[in-house]
C-alpha cells in the first residue's frame, strides 16, 4: 500500500533515519526508465500498416528491443523473488511474516523484496510502519515502494506507453484501437487468472499491492485497458462526454497529491466523526474532500496554473 508523505518522515529530520524510497521517487525512476527505453530504441518514425509484414502487430514488432528489456527485468524479478536465499526464510516466500502463516516466519516480511531493501538501503532508511505491522503484528520494517517492486512498476508504466502507441499508430481507426484495448485486457486477464488460479490470495503469485507482484500489475492493467476502452468510446468515438470534471485534477495531479497529504487531517477536508466505524461518515468525509480538491483544481485550471514534475 502506498505510504502517504506524512508517514515518510518523522520529525526531527535526520539523515540517519531518512526514508529513501517513496511514491514520487518510484514514479520518477519509473518514468526515467520507460522514457529512456522509448528514446533509445524507437526509430525516427513509426512504420505504416502497409509496410509491416504483420500489420496487426505494428504496435509491438517495431519495438522488440524494448520488449526484450522489459521481459528481462521480469525474469530478474522472478529469479530474485523465488530463488534468492533469505536468511531464516523459505525461498519464494511472499507472505507478511509476523503472525501470518501461523507465525512460522515472523521475521520474513516481504520475503526477498524486504530482504533486498534492508540489505542495500538499511533498516533505518525504509518505511517503518507498514500495514502488515497492524494486520499481522510484524516487527520488521518493510517498504511498499522498495527496489524489487519497482521492476513491476516499470512494467505497468510500459503497458501505459503501449496504450499510447495504439492510439497513435491506429489514429482515427476507432475499431482497431478499441479491439486492441480489448485484446490487451483479455491477455492481461488470462495471465492474472493463471498466476492466481482465479483466487483472491492464493495461486502461484497472489495479487499483492505491497509487493507489487506481477499478478497485481496484470490484474490492474486488465481493468485499466477495459476502462480506457470505455472512456475512449464515450469521449473520442461518440463524443458523449468531455472527461469533466476528472481532467481538472489530472492537469494538476502533483499539486492535488501534495495538497491532500499536507491538509488531509485539517478541516474542511477532515473532521472529528461521531462514529469512527461508520462507513457512511467515512464516505461523506471522503466525498467532501474529493469534491473540494476538484473545485480547487478547476479554479487553478481556469487561472492556467499547472504544477509539473
Amino acid at each position: 500500500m502506498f505510504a502517504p508523505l506524512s508517514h515518510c518522515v518523522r520529525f526531527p529530520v535526520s539523515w540517519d533515519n531518512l526514508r529513501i524510497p517513496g511514491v514520487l521517487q518510484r514514479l520518477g525512476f519509473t518514468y526515467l526508465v520507460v522514457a529512456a527505453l522509448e528514446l533509445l530504441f524507437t526509430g525516427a518514425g513509426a512504420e505504416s500498416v502497409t509496410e509491416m509484414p504483420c500489420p496487426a502487430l505494428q504496435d509491438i514488432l517495431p519495438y522488440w528491443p524494448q520488449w526484450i528489456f522489459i521481459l528481462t527485468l521480469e525474469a530478474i524479478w522472478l529469479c530474485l523473488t523465488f530463488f534468492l536465499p533469505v536468511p531464516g526464510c523459505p525461498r519464494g516466500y511472499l507472505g507478511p511474516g509476523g503472525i501470518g502463516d501461523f507465525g512460522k516466519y515472523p521475521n520474513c516480511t516481504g520475503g526477498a523484496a524486504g530482504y533486498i531493501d534492508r540489505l542495500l538501503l538499511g533498516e533505518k532508511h525504509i518505511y517503518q510502519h507498514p500495514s502488515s505491522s497492524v494486520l499481522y503484528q510484524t516487527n520488521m520494517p518493510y517498504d511498499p515502494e522498495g527496489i524489487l517492486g519497482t521492476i513491476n512498476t516499470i512494467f505497468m508504466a510500459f503497458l501505459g506507453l503501449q496504450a499510447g502507441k495504439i492510439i497513435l499508430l491506429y489514429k482515427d481507426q476507432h475499431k482497431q484501437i478499441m479491439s486492441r484495448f480489448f485484446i490487451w485486457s483479455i491477455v492481461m486477464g488470462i495471465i492474472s487468472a493463471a498466476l492466481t488460479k482465479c483466487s483472491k490470495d492464493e495461486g502461484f503469485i497472489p495479487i499483492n499491492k505491497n509487493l507489487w507482484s506481477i499478478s497485481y500489475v496484470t490484474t490492474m492493467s486488465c481493468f485499466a485497458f477495459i476502462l480506457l476502452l470505455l472512456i475512449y468510446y464515450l469521449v473520442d468515438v461518440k463524443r458523449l462526454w468531455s472527461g469533466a470534471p476528472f481532467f481538472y485534477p489530472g492537469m494538476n495531479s502533483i499539486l492535488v497529491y501534495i495538497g491532500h497529504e499536507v491538509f488531509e487531517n485539517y478541516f474542511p477536508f477532515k473532521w472529528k466523526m461521531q462514529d469512527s466505524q461508520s462507513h457512511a461518515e467515512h464516505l461523506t468525509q471522503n466525498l467532501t474532500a474529493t469534491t473540494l480538491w476538484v473545485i480547487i483544481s478547476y479554479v487553478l485550471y481556469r487561472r492556467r496554473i499547472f504544477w509539473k514534475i
Side-chain angles (χ1 to χ4, degrees), residues 19 21-22 26 113 117 121 126 142-151 153 210:
R19 182 190 178 199
R26 173 176 280 192
D117 288 340
L121 302 177
I126 60 178
Y142 174 76
D143 209 303
E145 278 76 56
I147 296 172
L148 199 55
T150 302
I151 290 177
T153 310
N210 274 313

Side-chain angles (χ1 to χ4, degrees), residues 37-94:
L37 279 177
E38 186 69 7
L39 291 173
L40 291 173
F41 298 113
T42 300
E47 298 184 48
S48 65
V49 179
T50 55
E51 293 173 346
M52 288 290 296
C54 184
L57 297 178
Q58 71 157 336
D59 59 322
I60 299 176
L61 293 182
Y63 312 103
W64 62 266
Q66 298 180 16
W67 278 101
I68 289 178
F69 182 86
I70 292 297
L71 293 176
T72 300
L73 284 182
E74 287 305 316
I76 292 173
W77 183 86
L78 288 169
C79 289
L80 290 175
T81 299
F82 291 100
F83 300 110
L84 180 69
V86 179
C89 305
R91 292 195 183 189
Y93 182 71
L94 298 173

Side-chain angles (χ1 to χ4, degrees), residues 22-37 69-70 73 145-147 149-159 161 212:
V23 176
L24 298 183
Q25 294 92 311
R26 173 176 280 192
L27 288 176
F29 182 75
T30 297
Y31 292 160
L32 172 64
V33 173
V34 174
L37 279 177
F69 182 86
I70 292 297
L73 284 182
E145 278 76 56
I147 296 172
T150 302
I151 290 177
N152 288 334
T153 310
I154 292 171
F155 178 42
M156 178 174 269
F158 184 73
L159 289 173
L161 177 64
W212 272 78

Side-chain angles (χ1 to χ4, degrees), residues 149-258:
T150 302
I151 290 177
N152 288 334
T153 310
I154 292 171
F155 178 42
M156 178 174 269
F158 184 73
L159 289 173
L161 177 64
Q162 183 66 37
K165 288 176 179 177
I166 290 172
I167 294 175
L168 291 175
L169 293 173
Y170 296 98
K171 186 176 181 180
D172 297 327
Q173 300 179 52
H174 299 317
K175 289 184 178 179
Q176 284 279 20
I177 291 173
M178 290 190 293
S179 65
R180 296 299 290 174
F181 287 161
F182 181 74
I183 291 171
W184 273 105
S185 177
I186 293 299
V187 170
M188 293 295 107
I190 290 174
I191 294 174
S192 293
L195 293 175
T196 63
K197 296 183 179 179
C198 298
S199 64
K200 179 181 177 182
D201 51 12
E202 301 291 339
F204 303 108
I205 304 178
I207 298 173
N208 191 314
K209 186 176 185 293
N210 274 313
L211 289 174
W212 272 78
S213 62
I214 182 63
S215 56
Y216 170 77
V217 170
T218 54
T219 301
M220 293 300 101
S221 298
C222 169
F223 289 114
F225 276 112
I226 285 293
L227 287 174
L228 187 57
L229 188 160
L230 177 62
I231 292 172
Y232 180 82
Y233 178 76
L234 293 174
V235 175
D236 293 85
V237 180
K238 292 299 183 179
R239 302 189 183 279
L240 298 175
W241 180 36
S242 67
F246 299 113
F247 68 75
Y248 300 127
M251 295 295 288
N252 258 312
S253 56
I254 294 300
L255 185 148
V256 172
Y257 176 85
I258 299 296

Side-chain angles (χ1 to χ4, degrees), residues 21 31 36 75 95 113 115 137 164 181 194 218 238-239 269 280 284 288 301:
Y31 292 160
Y115 175 65
Q137 301 175 24
F181 287 161
T218 54
K238 292 299 183 179
R239 302 189 183 279
F269 304 102
T284 301
T288 300
Y301 177 84

